[in-house]
Amino acid sequence: MEYKAADYQFPRAYLDGHDSIECLVPLDGRARIERPCKSRGLGLAPYEHLTSHILDPVEAVVKRRFALYIPWKGKAVLVEPGTRVSLVEALGVQVNHRAREGDEVRPGTILAYILTGKGETRTLRAGVEGVIVYIAWGLEGERQRYIYVIAPSDSIRILEVG
């Protein structure tokens, strides 16, 4: 089966205290998405700008409560402030992801294949156990840069969305 960019469903990020017309309301073991937002929930925020709001990269700790709705799983990952995370960087001319948001990883799990400037392929593996709760991205010159944010499974909540 061949995939196109249009086949990819982008995760939706929700941030505590963010005003939005849409919100995710965590309940006991599940969550619901409201549009318009009637309850006090987490507001829909631009995914690509989430990094500066949620993460202290020096301490590798979550600063603000957030949730990531993963449409292909029908679930949301809820992460509380103070959660210690592991940060794994993928940097190269081209980065091909093998693991995505919401995936459980353990040491040795392949996160991505990276094409270097010398034309070599490197395999990036997770060195920790947990769940990918966010993937930040950007460019560094001519190279693609991704940061996998991995939280321990016992420090997050997985919520059924419906």
Side-chain angles (χ1 to χ4, degrees), residues 43-148:
L44 181 65
Y47 184 98
E48 59 274 8
H49 299 296
L50 202 61
T51 309
S52 61
H53 295 289
I54 65 165
L55 193 63
D56 177 343
V58 175
E59 297 293 325
V61 68
V62 172
K63 304 186 297 189
R64 197 164 163 190
R65 183 181 195 209
F66 76 97
L68 204 63
Y69 171 56
I70 304 159
W72 60 90
K73 292 187 176 201
K75 297 180 181 190
V77 178
L78 181 65
V79 186
E80 298 291 341
T83 302
R84 291 227 163 260
V85 295
S86 297
L87 307 175
V88 181
E89 181 182 51
L91 181 64
V93 173
Q94 185 175 354
V95 177
N96 295 302
H97 300 281
R98 291 278 304 177
R100 302 190 324 182
E101 299 90 344
D103 287 355
E104 290 185 37
V105 298
R106 62 183 207 285
T109 300
I110 296 172
L111 298 176
Y113 294 109
I114 301 170
L115 180 65
T116 69
K118 292 182 179 180
E120 301 169 336
T121 301
R122 303 279 186 227
T123 303
L124 178 66
R125 297 178 187 271
V128 296
E129 189 169 320
V131 175
I132 300 171
V133 296
Y134 183 68
I135 302 174
W137 78 87
L139 292 175
E140 192 169 290
E142 297 287 320
R143 300 182 298 176
Q144 297 175 356
R145 181 175 189 238
Y146 294 89
I147 305 290
Y148 291 85

